[in-house]
Amino acid sequence: MSRVQSNARARGALREPAAEDLRAQRPPRLADQLYDRLLQQITYGKYPEESRLPSEFELCAAFGVSRPVVREALFRLQADGVIVSQRGAGSYVRRRPSPELIRLAPIGGLAELVRCMELRGALEGEAAYMAAMRRGDEDIQAIAAALQDMRLAFEARQVGNEADYRFHQAIAAACGNDLFVTMLQSLSQQIFDYMRVMRSLALASAASRGQQVQREHERIFQAIRDQRPEQAREAMREHIYNSRMRTLDASFSPGANRGPGGTAAA
């Protein structure tokens, strides 16, 4: 199994970027670039919690993009729980991510990392389900070894993203379907980057946050070990949902934001 090197970058003092014409940059995805820019402005405090964002027309003029681009970026921010949109009243900031998120994330890669988590919720939930039905003794040993390394990293106040990556890859291998492994490997850069960001944020927070992350992994392992596929799927989906929300909201507490029916949405 190949490992992807972390691409953490040393950066200077945090400063809010200027609202410049995004068309001049010729980005591959304008909506992603606008998502990143608005998320940065919210994080830096230009738009505090409960404040109203500029209108779609004003955002189009400020960034030199079309209304569909603005709407897609706002929709993504709303889906991530960062803003809330009220019909006829505009969009309001709901939560503010930690400035550490901007420092740790790959440059221009926030939107891609969050979208990657949406895909992982669907893909890895099913992987955990199948792993619980098909896992062998060697699979359990591999998952348990990665889990132990994550625990040791947490106790040593280390990031532990390499062990985290091995944990999820071992579950994919336990499916008995090589396509699950191939899919995760194709996303290895995004997954590894996200794990580095998420675990670094947890490390910089109260110890209870890191303990919660470890407990979520332990629940996934226990369900797979005990061959409880439904519980394994739910535990994995809940972990990925919680991970995404912890990354976007420094004050997030599991259980505070649930999907329809009281279950976590991935």
Side-chain angles (χ1 to χ4, degrees):
M1 181 185 306
S2 62
R3 293 189 182 179
V4 182
Q5 296 298 320
S6 172
N7 68 342
R9 298 177 175 86
R11 304 190 186 174
L14 292 176
R15 292 177 298 176
E16 180 194 329
E20 58 189 322
D21 190 332
L22 296 179
R23 290 173 299 185
Q25 300 180 27
R26 299 294 182 186
R29 288 285 298 169
L30 284 175
D32 285 354
Q33 294 293 319
L34 182 56
Y35 173 99
D36 276 14
R37 191 63 54 79
L38 290 174
L39 189 61
Q40 288 179 36
Q41 291 182 338
I42 292 170
T43 300
Y44 292 125
K46 180 174 182 177
Y47 303 113
E49 290 178 275
E50 307 302 328
S51 68
R52 185 179 183 275
L53 290 180
S55 67
E56 291 182 4
F57 177 80
E58 291 170 329
L59 290 172
C60 289
F63 292 100
V65 294
S66 66
R67 181 162 289 186
V69 169
V70 170
R71 287 178 175 173
E72 182 178 348
L74 292 177
F75 176 80
R76 292 181 180 184
L77 288 169
Q78 182 177 4
D80 293 336
V82 177
I83 68 172
V84 59
S85 295
Q86 302 176 6
R87 188 175 183 86
S91 298
Y92 293 81
V93 177
R94 183 178 181 185
R95 59 173 55 94
R96 178 185 175 190
S98 166
E100 283 293 292
L101 173 61
I102 306 300
R103 186 181 70 82
L104 291 167
I107 295 175
L110 285 172
E112 183 178 15
L113 292 186
V114 175
R115 299 287 78 75
C116 178
M117 291 301 288
E118 289 185 348
L119 177 59
R120 287 185 61 201
L123 177 66
E124 295 198 55
E126 293 309 304
Y129 180 94
M130 295 178 65
M133 294 193 298
R134 301 177 178 178
R135 96 292 184 280
D137 291 341
E138 291 185 0
D139 297 315
I140 293 300
Q141 292 172 6
I143 300 171
L147 184 64
Q148 174 65 8
D149 287 345
M150 291 165 60
R151 184 181 300 111
L152 293 174
F154 171 72
E155 292 173 353
R157 300 296 293 168
Q158 298 173 349
V159 176
N161 51 321
E162 296 91 347
D164 199 338
Y165 183 73
R166 293 202 327 268
F167 178 88
H168 289 267
Q169 284 283 51
I171 292 174
C175 292
N177 184 332
D178 290 344
L179 290 179
F180 277 92
V181 177
T182 301
M183 283 292 293
L184 285 189
Q185 287 178 341
S186 71
L187 296 169
S188 59
Q189 182 68 63
Q190 294 93 330
I191 292 174
F192 202 80
D193 279 340
Y194 190 93
M195 287 178 174
R196 173 181 56 79
V197 171
M198 183 273 291
R199 297 187 70 86
S200 295
L201 288 171
L203 193 62
S205 304
S208 58
R209 187 165 180 171
Q211 291 167 351
Q212 176 62 33
V213 173
Q214 187 68 21
R215 284 195 297 269
E216 290 171 10
H217 284 89
E218 289 172 354
R219 284 198 292 269
I220 296 168
F221 168 71
Q222 290 164 3
I224 293 174
R225 180 197 61 194
D226 298 342
Q227 295 186 299
R228 294 180 284 122
E230 294 288 351
Q231 290 89 335
R233 174 197 280 149
E234 179 61 22
M236 179 65 82
R237 286 173 58 86
E238 183 168 8
H239 163 61
I240 292 177
Y241 170 79
N242 289 346
S243 174
R244 176 182 170 196
M245 296 308 299
R246 278 189 293 261
T247 301
L248 293 168
D249 181 6
S251 64
F252 173 76
S253 177
N257 293 278
R258 314 296 289 182
T263 59

